Amino acid sequence: MLSFLIDNWMLVLVALVSGIALLLPTLQSMGDAGISPSQAVLLINREKAHIVDVRSPEEFASGHLIGAKNIVFDVLESSLGKTINDKKRPLILVCASGMRSQRAQKIATKLGFEQAHSLSGGLKIWQEANLPLEKT
């Protein structure tokens, strides 16, 4: 058995790399606590979720989810509670790629928002799903 592994080390290496490549998407999604665009649409339509876009005003003006409020990530902790009063209603946090909104979700949870969600993949995934945007 050991001589087979030594003689065929390239074959073993290819098998290991292939296995890791197959598992990688699963491992990446385990760390992702965001919601999909379809889940976001359900929260917006059924539960009247608040939408907060944490991108810059320039990014926000170029296109955002309909009804979204713009609170720049840097001032989120001090401004979110003043802008959104109802902490029981779902809150969807959005950014360009989902990275800032994941951090924003942690801040919102710390501030007492019971149903804070990050849009997984951000506005990029929203646009890929051909969902509507509005511009200001």
Side-chain angles (χ1 to χ4, degrees):
M1 175 75 171
L2 186 59
S3 64
F4 173 81
L5 294 175
I6 293 170
D7 291 341
N8 297 295
W9 67 271
M10 276 186 124
L11 182 64
V12 173
L13 182 63
V14 168
L16 285 172
V17 170
S18 297
I20 291 170
L22 288 171
L23 287 174
L24 196 58
T26 305
L27 296 173
Q28 286 176 331
S29 67
M30 286 172 56
D32 185 9
I35 60 172
S36 69
S38 59
Q39 290 170 313
V41 168
L42 287 175
L43 286 173
I44 293 165
N45 291 338
R46 291 184 179 167
E47 299 186 44
K48 307 294 183 219
H50 295 288
I51 307 164
V52 173
D53 193 315
V54 297
R55 298 176 299 150
S56 71
E58 295 80 24
E59 290 175 297
F60 184 78
S62 70
H64 54 270
L65 275 68
I66 297 171
K69 294 181 174 151
N70 185 217
I71 304 174
V72 180
F73 179 79
D74 295 337
V75 297
L76 186 71
E77 195 160 359
S78 62
S79 300
L80 185 60
K82 297 173 189 169
T83 307
I84 309 287
N85 295 331
D86 187 356
K87 293 184 177 185
K88 292 183 187 280
R89 222 160 92 188
L91 171 66
I92 301 170
L93 296 144
V94 182
C95 70
S97 66
M99 299 304 289
R100 282 179 282 183
S101 61
Q102 281 185 342
R103 293 190 320 233
Q105 177 186 2
K106 291 177 181 153
I107 291 170
T109 301
K110 185 176 97 176
L111 292 173
F113 286 86
E114 297 174 10
Q115 296 184 62
H117 305 281
S118 168
L119 181 61
S120 180
L123 202 63
K124 179 182 174 211
I125 297 296
W126 186 267
Q127 288 174 302
E128 287 177 9
N130 290 320
L131 292 165
L133 295 176
E134 67 179 348
K135 295 182 180 184
T136 52

